[in-house]
Amino acid sequence: MDLAVIKTIRFSNTITNSGQAWKTHCNWGFRVLLFSFSTTGLSPSRPISSSSSREEGTVDMSRQMNDVETATAEEEQVMSEVHLGCPPGLSGPHISHFTISLPSCKSADASKNEDETASMNQTIGVDEDGDLVLIRRNKPFSHCHRLTIRHNITSSIPSVGLQVWKAELVLCDFVLHKMSTSSEYDRIVALELGAGTGLVGILLARVAETVFLTDHGDEILENCAKNVDLNSGLFNGRAAVQVRELDWMSPWPPRVSPSKSPLNKRYTWTLSEVEEVQEASLLVAADVIYSDDLTDAFFSVLERLMSLGSEKVLYLALEKRYNFSLSDLDVVANGYSHFCSYLKDEKECEDFEKRSVPCFVGKRIKIAQIPQYVKEYDRGNDVELWQIKYERRRS
């Protein structure tokens, strides 16, 4: 079947139109409308004259369908809703600026002490009519900054890490809120999984000691490294930001280089870096749930990471993308139920602990309680934020 992408859409459950075949491609959870020009590619290579031949022809047809869908996933173009205002028809890298209200770099303890001092020094006066006048304290100090992010406006499905996604911006808001209200992330080691453009990790570098931005594929890694360079002025003076390749389909720990990597292998790990990551306290990931196979690989790597070294917590933001599923004959959020199947609530995990079985404990965070620090996007109603911990086996 010769397939060509007509356009990217928010949602469609159109199955037929004017006698021509349309379908929503939903293997990966991205909404892309595909049009069937012909079925010549599905024709059996020889006439079918018997039951056996018909079965062989069906197998051949199924294989060709799989080949077509694999090729289509690599060729079709998808677009994040964040990019709707970008220039149309631009295929290469594009520069966008995101206005972000950043909190002061002061630690929470320092701010608390200043507040207490201000309270003690606060005076009460009277105006000319004899009414009491309370001298108000100034509002908390903050700065507005522009993040410069290089990204693609559209991309193939395997290269979606070249785009900025809505869940990524929600996770940015969460990280900024943590930085604004506590010193929890000061001088930590953090790891971002599926970093894409690197936006979340770049913000963490404002207060963290070391941030590892990980993804897979040279083009995505090069783009992420470029964004690190473009925004290095936001980092605190001691921050080390490393862009490293991490393929979830391969086991953790990754293969390491004995020393600093040469330029042609600049995204490979050193042994000291692997050891440092295993002592990280914070993991973050955004918009990495859209394929069951990829979700399986993600949790496999996550289990290895969280079972070694120091105790870790993952904050994961995802967008529920709804498509019409022919297998379910219903509108479903691709990959979401499979993602949830990996998680237990605290009560369920207590029962697992009695049987000495490790498990992931998931808790949804109320996004409505998080201020919006990133200005140029609409959160919508389909993004969720999860806190995930790993309860290790107890002897």
Side-chain angles (χ1 to χ4, degrees):
M1 181 180 292
D2 299 324
L3 298 176
V5 176
I6 302 302
K7 63 178 180 178
T8 304
I9 59 171
R10 171 67 183 170
F11 168 74
S12 174
N13 61 354
T14 304
I15 304 300
T16 59
N17 185 26
S18 304
Q20 297 172 315
W22 300 75
K23 80 171 187 176
T24 302
H25 183 82
C26 50
N27 286 353
W28 291 80
F30 293 96
R31 287 137 343 248
V32 180
L33 192 63
L34 305 179
F35 176 69
S36 170
F37 288 107
S38 70
T39 58
T40 55
L42 293 180
S43 301
S45 57
R46 58 185 183 277
I48 300 174
S49 59
S50 67
S51 175
S52 174
S53 297
R54 281 195 299 272
E55 290 177 0
E56 291 177 4
T58 301
V59 172
D60 288 342
M61 186 177 295
S62 176
R63 287 173 179 167
Q64 291 185 50
M65 279 289 291
N66 289 336
D67 290 343
V68 167
E69 290 190 353
T70 299
T72 301
E74 294 176 353
E75 296 172 3
E76 68 192 22
Q77 296 291 300
V78 296
M79 183 177 72
S80 166
E81 292 177 16
V82 175
H83 303 155
L84 289 177
C86 294
L90 190 64
S91 59
H94 178 73
I95 296 291
S96 289
H97 301 286
F98 293 88
T99 304
I100 295 181
S101 177
L102 289 176
S104 168
C105 287
K106 298 173 186 175
S107 69
D109 290 340
S111 298
K112 181 179 178 182
N113 291 336
E114 287 185 5
D115 288 346
E116 290 175 350
T117 302
S119 296
M120 288 186 293
N121 293 335
Q122 187 168 279
T123 60
I124 298 177
V126 292
D127 62 15
E128 58 185 10
D129 297 324
D131 297 323
L132 291 177
V133 176
L134 177 65
I135 300 174
R136 299 181 180 276
R137 287 175 289 175
N138 292 329
K139 294 181 179 180
F141 184 64
S142 65
H143 297 280
C144 281
H145 288 269
R146 280 203 322 172
L147 256 70
T148 301
I149 297 297
R150 190 178 78 164
H151 62 90
N152 282 17
I153 296 175
T154 64
S155 70
S156 63
I157 289 175
S159 299
V160 291
L162 293 172
Q163 298 191 57
V164 178
W165 298 91
K166 189 182 296 184
E168 184 178 7
L169 300 178
V170 170
L171 188 56
C172 286
D173 281 336
F174 174 78
V175 165
L176 287 166
H177 190 54
K178 280 279 192 179
M179 291 162 51
S180 175
T181 58
S182 76
S183 57
E184 184 178 341
Y185 293 164
D186 288 7
R187 310 199 67 154
I188 64 168
V189 176
L191 169 69
E192 183 171 6
L193 297 160
T197 61
L199 219 167
V200 180
I202 287 169
L203 290 174
L204 279 170
R206 182 168 168 80
V207 296
E209 185 81 24
T210 307
V211 179
F212 290 94
L213 305 177
T214 67
D215 215 308
H216 181 54
D218 289 343
E219 188 178 10
I220 294 174
L221 293 169
E222 289 286 351
N223 189 68
C224 185
K226 177 65 175 178
N227 285 328
V228 169
D229 292 340
L230 288 172
N231 296 281
S232 59
L234 290 175
F235 305 165
N236 73 75
R238 63 181 179 275
V241 181
Q242 310 291 353
V243 178
R244 293 292 177 261
E245 180 154 30
L246 183 56
D247 182 0
W248 301 344
M249 299 298 180
S250 301
W252 176 271
R255 287 186 295 179
V256 300
S257 171
S259 59
K260 287 294 182 182
S261 303
L263 288 178
N264 62 332
K265 294 184 178 179
R266 60 181 296 199
Y267 305 118
T268 59
W269 297 79
T270 64
L271 180 59
S272 62
E273 289 171 346
V274 171
E275 292 173 345
E276 187 174 13
V277 163
Q278 291 180 173
E279 297 305 319
S281 59
L282 175 67
L283 310 180
V284 291
D287 226 333
V288 297
I289 305 299
Y290 48 85
S291 157
D292 287 355
D293 290 342
L294 199 62
T295 299
D296 291 337
F298 174 76
F299 274 99
S300 177
V301 168
L302 194 62
E303 183 172 19
R304 287 291 295 165
L305 280 167
M306 299 185 84
S307 63
L308 299 172
S310 62
E311 185 175 345
K312 302 171 179 63
V313 60
L314 165 71
Y315 290 100
L316 182 147
L318 62 88
E319 182 176 0
K320 296 169 70 175
R321 295 182 174 88
Y322 295 94
N323 292 282
F324 185 84
S325 167
L326 293 177
S327 59
D328 297 317
L329 293 179
D330 198 1
V331 176
V332 298
N334 297 82
Y336 181 73
S337 59
H338 192 61
F339 160 75
C340 291
S341 70
Y342 275 94
L343 305 178
K344 311 292 181 186
D345 59 29
E346 292 182 358
K347 179 62 172 64
E348 287 179 302
C349 202
E350 286 176 6
D351 296 336
F352 270 60
E353 286 177 7
K354 294 174 184 177
R355 292 180 287 166
S356 300
V357 177
C359 64
F360 290 103
V361 181
K363 182 176 72 172
R364 275 187 62 183
I365 297 172
K366 295 180 179 179
I367 295 177
Q369 297 178 356
I370 302 170
Q372 186 165 333
Y373 295 87
V374 185
K375 303 304 180 185
E376 292 92 351
Y377 82 107
D378 178 13
R379 284 183 179 174
N381 300 314
D382 297 328
V383 177
E384 293 185 358
L385 181 61
W386 287 80
Q387 178 197 75
I388 299 175
K389 295 182 178 180
Y390 184 71
E391 294 293 337
R392 305 180 187 185
R393 186 187 305 273
R394 294 189 178 183
S395 56

